[in-house]
Structures are given as structure tokens and as C-alpha cells.
Amino acid sequence: MSHRILLLGAPGAGKGTQSRKLAEEFGIEHVTTGDALRANKDMETEYGTPRSFMDAGELVPDPVVNEIVKAALEDADGFVLDGYPRNLSQAEYLSEITDLDAVVFLDVGEEELVNRLTGRRMDPETGDIYHVEFDWPEDEAIQERLVQRDDDEEDTVRERLRVYHENTEPVIEHFRERGDLVEVDGEATPADVFERIRDVVAN
Ligand code: AP5
């Protein structure tokens, strides 16, 4: 059975953490606009570079992001999509290019989101995600190379959350109204949250 999974949630809800586990568990592609854009932050487009939007916590223009997703989904036999769609126009575009088997919303409260994002650290070599308080690596060599994402400073985090409430909550409402949305409480350990999502996807 192919798995076409959409994982929705606020910045910091754990989409990246859980998507990586889902991709491994089901042998599917992890399609993430955030990572794709970070790998091409200084690419010139007719709208400017992705960096100019991302470092301010704003959305990168739809045509740039739609093209990334279309190319990635065309090549994928099963996927977990993370970070897209972020507004209703992206949701409409997605419905034109693929069908979905599961739409999961990871629900996490606002202050927990801010704590997770400001404490997040990334491994630039592997892409692995850590947290200064909740998930710190024991290996000193890994500890030393961890970096903070440019958009994880508190002011930018607050702006990202504002943009999420304004643009992306209507997308969640759209899937809820269609009866497609399965809500998962994201405030538990990563392992427990993973089990909850796996149950949804497997059934
Ligand atoms: P993107 O990279 O997609 O960021 P985001 O949606 O803001 O989500 P995050 O990656 O910040 O959080 P996450 O939910 O993946 O959480 P994580 O698992 O890391 O987008 C970045 C930017 O790119 C956007 O602002 C925009 O500019 C642009 N962009 C991207 N997509 C776009 C689109 N479609 N349209 C337009 N622009 C777009 O977890 C967070 C932290 O919490 C980690 O430290 C982790 O260790 C910890 N953690 C995770 N789970 C738990 C748990 N259960 N308990 C405790 N800690 C946990």
C-alpha cells in the first residue's frame, strides 16, 4: 500500500522530527519545503532569494514553493509532506497534483512551541534535530557541531507563529471541514507522539 501522508502543525510542533521517523518506518520520501528552501536559500528568483523571506519569518512566494513540491512529488512513490501547504492557495494547488491517504494535525500549545523552537539545535552534517533541554546528544563531537537555525531567534519565532495563525490555520480548518483531518496530541515524548501517528497512518 502506498502512503501519501500530509503532516500539518505549527512551527515547532514536531513535523520534522516525526516525518523523519515516518519516512524510515514506511520506506517513503520525506518531502519538506523548509529543508529544500534552506538548501537553496541564496538562489535568485524573480521574487528575491528565499533567505529574504525566511530570515524574517515570512512565507516564500507560492510559485517558488509550488514548483519544489510538484517536482518532489512527481518522483515519489509514497511520501510524508511536511511544511506545505501553508495557505489556502497552496492547498488548492496540492489537490490538483496529488491525492492524500492521511492528513494528520499535530496539536501543540503556543508556549511549548516557543520553548521547542528557541531551544532547537541542528546537526549540519546529518540534518538531525536536537533540543538543548529535551533531546541533547551524548556524543561530544556532535554537541560541538550543532547550530541554531537563523529563524529560531525568539522575535522571528513569534513572527512565524503569527504568520502560521493568519495563513495556515485556515488550511487546517479546510481539511477539518472536509472530514479528512485526524488530530494528534503532540505534547508527549517524541516516541509516544510517533506511536500515535503510526496508528493513524496504519489504519
Ligand atoms: P519550516 O522549516 O517548514 O519550518 P516550520 O514549519 O516553521 O517548522 P519547524 O521546522 O520550525 O518545526 P517542526 O514542526 O518541524 O518541529 P521540529 O520537529 O524541528 O519552514 C521554515 C521557513 O521556510 C518558513 O518560515 C518559510 O519562510 C519557508 N517555508 C517553508 N515552507 C513554506 C511554504 N510551504 N510556503 C512558503 N514558505 C515556506 O521540532 C522542534 C523542536 O522541538 C526540536 O528541537 C525538537 O527536538 C523538539 N521536539 C520535537 N518533538 C518534541 C516532543 N514531542 N517533545 C519535546 N520536544 C520535541
Side-chain angles (χ1 to χ4, degrees):
M1 177 192 170
S2 93
H3 289 286
R4 292 164 298 184
I5 307 164
L6 173 59
L7 196 53
L8 294 166
K15 302 182 299 295
T17 302
Q18 298 299 333
S19 293
R20 291 167 75 92
K21 291 177 194 278
L22 286 165
E24 202 181 310
E25 171 90 4
F26 294 108
I28 53 180
E29 295 290 323
H30 178 199
V31 176
T32 152
T33 46
D35 285 359
L37 290 166
R38 269 184 292 283
N40 294 285
K41 257 185 134 174
D42 295 312
M43 175 183 70
E44 287 297 343
T45 77
E46 60 184 287
Y47 310 94
T49 60
R51 179 186 296 280
S52 57
F53 300 95
M54 296 171 79
D55 288 359
E58 309 302 331
L59 295 185
V60 174
D62 291 345
V64 177
V65 190
N66 288 345
E67 200 175 317
I68 291 172
V69 172
K70 183 162 189 270
L73 296 192
E74 265 169 6
D75 293 341
D77 179 22
F79 58 82
V80 50
L81 181 56
D82 152 20
Y84 181 99
R86 273 178 137 88
N87 58 31
L88 287 171
S89 124
Q90 292 181 10
E92 193 180 328
Y93 184 76
L94 180 64
S95 72
E96 287 167 14
I97 59 171
T98 193
D99 294 321
L100 298 166
D101 299 311
V103 183
V104 179
F105 170 54
L106 269 183
D107 192 13
V108 174
E110 187 100 357
E111 280 317 300
E112 173 76 9
L113 294 171
V114 174
N115 288 340
R116 287 189 187 182
L117 290 171
T118 52
R120 171 168 54 192
R121 298 294 181 271
M122 308 295 297
D123 184 337
E125 281 185 23
T126 62
D128 288 342
I129 306 166
Y130 295 95
H131 192 282
V132 291
E133 197 182 329
F134 308 131
D135 183 15
W136 193 240
E138 283 174 14
D139 185 330
E140 280 184 27
I142 298 177
Q143 288 175 11
E144 278 168 20
R145 63 174 189 245
L146 295 185
V147 293
Q148 187 170 33
R149 248 168 65 172
D150 293 335
D151 58 351
D152 277 347
E153 301 284 347
E154 184 160 349
D155 284 355
T156 315
V157 163
R158 299 263 177 210
E159 176 60 12
R160 286 164 60 200
L161 289 169
R162 190 195 65 73
V163 168
Y164 166 78
H165 291 307
E166 187 175 308
N167 296 275
T168 314
E169 276 181 350
V171 173
I172 290 156
E173 205 42 50
H174 160 79
F175 283 108
R176 188 180 281 126
E177 280 169 11
R178 279 182 22 173
D180 291 341
L181 195 74
V182 179
E183 304 199 28
V184 167
D185 182 355
E187 291 202 33
T189 65
D192 285 348
V193 174
F194 179 65
E195 280 193 19
R196 292 171 188 174
I197 301 174
R198 192 179 48 194
D199 284 350
V200 169
V201 170
N203 288 314

